[in-house]
Amino acid sequence: MIALHDPAFRVVLDYAGVAVFAVSGAVAAARRKYDIVIFSFFAAVTGIGGGTLRDLLIGAPVFWVGDAGYVAVCIAAAGAVWAVGVKTWRMPALLWLDAVGLSAYAVVGASKAASYGVSPLVAVVMGVLTASFGGVVRDVLAGEPSVLLRKEIYVTAAVAGAGLFVALRLLGLPDLWAGVIGATAAFILRGGALKFGWTMPRFAPHDDDGG
Amino acid sequence: MIALHDPAFRVVLDYAGVAVFAVSGAVAAARRKYDIVIFSFFAAVTGIGGGTLRDLLIGAPVFWVGDAGYVAVCIAAAGAVWAVGVKTWRMPALLWLDAVGLSAYAVVGASKAASYGVSPLVAVVMGVLTASFGGVVRDVLAGEPSVLLRKEIYVTAAVAGAGLFVALRLLGLPDLWAGVIGATAAFILRGGALKFGWTMPRFAPHDDDGG
Amino acid sequence: MIALHDPAFRVVLDYAGVAVFAVSGAVAAARRKYDIVIFSFFAAVTGIGGGTLRDLLIGAPVFWVGDAGYVAVCIAAAGAVWAVGVKTWRMPALLWLDAVGLSAYAVVGASKAASYGVSPLVAVVMGVLTASFGGVVRDVLAGEPSVLLRKEIYVTAAVAGAGLFVALRLLGLPDLWAGVIGATAAFILRGGALKFGWTMPRFAPHDDDGG
C-alpha cells in the first residue's frame, strides 16, 4: 500500500509541489521584468520556502539541503518561464498553479509533520504553513500585497485541506485516500474563490451594535 | 523556591505572553476586517513568532510544536476578539497589551536562553528578539510600518528589561526577583513611551557640525 | 596550509564580514535618524542575518549564539557610525561596504556549507543566501525597496563568487585560492554594477513576438 508519508511517494509529491510553486515565483519575477538570476531566486524562495519553514519547526533536516534536485527543479522552472515567455503564463495561470501547489502542500506538509509525531492540531498548522509560506515570502520580497490577505478564500482552503486530511487519518482512512480527499477539498475551495469569488464572512466591527 | 527557568513556571508565563500577543495580533486583523481564519493566523504569528525564533536560534525544540495548547490559545484569542468585537479592544488597548507582552517576553526569552547556557550578552539579545519579533512579523504581513521603528521607546524597553534581568542574576539575585524587576522596568519604560511619548535621543547627522 | 574551511581562519573572515555588514545596517538606520538601540538592532540584523539563515538551514549551531563577540562587533559598529556621523559614511560608502561584505560572504557561506557535506549546487545557494539575506531583511524592516531587486547586478555577483569558489575547489585548487578568486570575481562584478551600472539582460515579455 502506498502511504502518503512513505518517503518515496512524498518525494514525488514534493517535487511536483516545488515545481508548481517555483513556476508561480518565476512568473511573479517575469511580471516585473527581472533578470534570470532573480527569476531563479524567486522560483526557489516560492518553491521551497514553505517546506523549509516546516522542516525547521519540526526539527527535521531541511528537505532540499541534502538533495540538490529540488534547487535544480527551481532553476529549471525559472529557465522554462524565461524561455516560454510570460504570454503563455499570464496572471490567471499563475493563480491556478498556486491553487494546485496550495492544495498539494497542505496535505504533504501535514503528513510530514504527523510522521514526526506532532499532535493533530500542530500537524494542521504545519500543513497550512507549508502551503502558504512560500507565497507569503514571494509577495513580501516583491513588495506586493500578500496573497494571504486577499478577500477571496486562500488560507482557509489550506486549513480545510490539512484539517480534513488529519481528521480522516484519525478516523482510520489510509493516508493516500485521506490525502486525495483533503487536497481535492482544498482545491475546490480555492478554485471556487478564483472562479466565483468565494469569500469567508468578514469581521464586522461592533461599534454600531447599540453598545 | 520558584525559579524563573523552572520549566513549569515558565510554561505559565509563556501561555500568558502568547495569549496577550495573540490578542494584539487578532486586533490588528480586526482593524482590517479579515475573516476568522486570518484572525487566527495573525494571532498565532504574533503570539508565537518571537519564541519560535528564539528556540530556532538556541537550538531548542520549538516550544509550541510539542504542545498543541499554545496554538489552541491563539485560536481561542482570535475567537474571543471576533466575538467581543473590536470596540472593546481599540488601538490603545492593543498597545497596552503589546506592552505587557513585550515586558514579560523580554524576561522569559532571556531566561530560557540562559538556561541553554548562552553568554549574558546573547541572553539579552534573545530576550529582545523574543519580545519584539512577533510584532515585527505581524506588521510586515499586514503591510504596516513596523512598531520597531516608531519614535517612542520600544526595543529599548525590551533591552532594559532583559539586560536588568541578566545583570541581577549575575549579581546573585534569585531568578524570580530578577525577572519581576526586569519586566517591571520594561513595562515602565514602554508605558511611559505610550503615556508621555518618551523617546530616546535620535541620531543627528553631522553634516552641519563645521566639518 | 591555511584552508578556507579551517575554523580559525573562517572566524576571522566571519568577523570582518559581520563588521562590514553591520556598518551598512547602522548607516541605513542613520539615514532615517533612529536612536542608538535601533542602530544596534539594524547593525545586528544586517551583520548576522545571512549567516544565521545558512546555519539554520544546514543544521549547524548558529555561529553567533555560542560566541558573544559577534553581537559585540555589531554593537561596536553601531556605536562607531553614531559617533563618527553619517557624513563620513554616505550612501556610496554604504554600497561599497555592502559590496565587500557580499563578496566575502558568498565565499565564506559556500565554504562553511561545503564543510557540512552538502552538494556543490546547494553550497552555492548557501553562499548566495549568506551574502544577500542580511541586506534583504534590513530593507524589509526599513520598508525600503529590496537591494535584491535593483536593476544593477547584485545577486548575480554572489552567484558568480560562490559558483567560482565551488567550481575551483572541485577542480582541486586549494580552498584559499579558490576563495580569493571567487570573492574577487564577485567584487569586480558588483563594483562594475556600482561604477558603470552593469546589468544582466532582463526579461522581455513575448507578448509582441507575433504569437
Side-chain angles (χ1 to χ4, degrees), chain C residues 36-139:
Chain C
I36 185 68
V37 173
I38 306 279
F39 265 61
S40 303
F41 194 93
F42 267 78
V45 164
T46 315
I48 65 187
T52 300
L53 180 61
R54 173 203 60 206
D55 288 347
L56 290 176
L57 292 174
I58 63 177
V62 176
F63 70 103
W64 56 271
V65 171
D67 178 351
Y70 291 106
V71 171
V73 163
C74 292
I75 295 172
V81 171
W82 180 284
V84 170
V86 83
K87 190 173 68 174
T88 324
W89 302 92
R90 292 204 206 93
M91 258 321 267
L94 168 64
L95 288 171
W96 285 98
L97 279 174
D98 194 90
V100 171
L102 182 80
S103 309
Y105 262 23
V107 166
V108 172
S111 167
K112 180 164 183 185
S115 78
Y116 270 75
V118 305
S119 61
L121 181 58
V122 171
V124 173
V125 170
M126 291 299 167
V128 173
L129 287 180
T130 309
S132 61
F133 189 69
V136 167
V137 176
R138 175 195 64 207
D139 295 341

Side-chain angles (χ1 to χ4, degrees), chain A residues 30 32-39 41-42 52 56 62 64-65 68 71-72 81-87 140-142, chain C residues 56-58 118-119 121-122 125-126 128-129 132 136 140 146 148-149 155-156 159 200-203 205-207 209 211:
Chain A
R32 305 186 138 232
K33 304 204 178 80
Y34 289 128
D35 62 48
I36 185 68
V37 172
I38 306 279
F39 264 61
F41 195 93
F42 267 78
T52 300
L56 289 176
V62 177
W64 56 270
V65 171
V71 171
V81 171
W82 180 283
V84 170
V86 84
K87 190 174 66 175
V140 166
L141 286 185
Chain C
L56 290 176
L57 292 174
I58 63 177
V118 305
S119 61
L121 181 58
V122 171
V125 170
M126 291 299 167
V128 173
L129 287 180
S132 61
V136 167
V140 166
S146 180
L148 202 70
L149 306 179
V155 186
T156 303
V159 172
M200 291 274 287
R202 290 164 79 78
F203 178 72
H206 298 206
D207 279 346
D209 63 359

Side-chain angles (χ1 to χ4, degrees), chain B residues 45-65:
Chain B
V45 163
T46 315
I48 65 187
T52 300
L53 179 61
R54 173 202 61 205
D55 288 348
L56 289 176
L57 292 175
I58 63 176
V62 177
F63 70 103
W64 55 271
V65 171

Side-chain angles (χ1 to χ4, degrees), chain B:
Chain B
M1 197 193 73
I2 298 171
L4 194 63
H5 61 235
D6 172 60
F9 185 64
R10 204 169 49 222
V11 163
V12 173
L13 274 182
D14 257 7
Y15 269 100
V18 166
V20 165
F21 267 132
V23 166
S24 92
V27 171
R31 288 169 56 216
R32 306 185 139 231
K33 305 203 178 83
Y34 290 127
D35 62 48
I36 186 68
V37 173
I38 307 278
F39 264 61
S40 303
F41 194 94
F42 267 77
V45 163
T46 315
I48 65 187
T52 300
L53 179 61
R54 173 202 61 205
D55 288 348
L56 289 176
L57 292 175
I58 63 176
V62 177
F63 70 103
W64 55 271
V65 171
D67 179 350
Y70 291 106
V71 172
V73 162
C74 292
I75 296 173
V81 171
W82 180 284
V84 171
V86 83
K87 189 174 68 174
T88 324
W89 302 93
R90 291 207 206 92
M91 259 320 266
L94 168 64
L95 288 172
W96 284 98
L97 278 174
D98 195 89
V100 171
L102 181 80
S103 309
Y105 262 23
V107 167
V108 172
S111 167
K112 180 164 184 185
S115 77
Y116 270 75
V118 305
S119 62
L121 181 57
V122 172
V124 173
V125 171
M126 292 299 168
V128 173
L129 287 180
T130 309
S132 60
F133 189 69
V136 166
V137 176
R138 175 196 63 207
D139 294 341
V140 166
L141 287 186
E144 296 192 359
S146 179
V147 71
L148 201 70
L149 307 179
R150 299 232 180 97
K151 268 186 225 154
E152 302 83 31
I153 281 175
Y154 188 85
V155 187
T156 301
V159 171
L164 204 54
F165 166 71
V166 169
L168 293 175
R169 274 185 85 226
L170 284 178
L171 294 174
L173 236 71
D175 275 24
L176 186 62
W177 285 108
V180 167
I181 295 172
T184 305
F187 187 76
I188 289 172
L189 269 178
R190 179 63 186 149
L194 287 176
K195 195 144 182 70
F196 308 112
W198 289 357
T199 59
M200 291 273 288
R202 292 165 76 78
F203 179 72
H206 299 207
D207 279 347
D208 46 6
D209 63 359

Side-chain angles (χ1 to χ4, degrees), chain C residues 148-170:
Chain C
L148 202 70
L149 306 179
R150 299 232 179 97
K151 267 187 226 154
E152 303 83 30
I153 282 173
Y154 189 85
V155 186
T156 303
V159 172
L164 204 53
F165 166 70
V166 169
L168 293 175
R169 274 184 86 226
L170 284 178

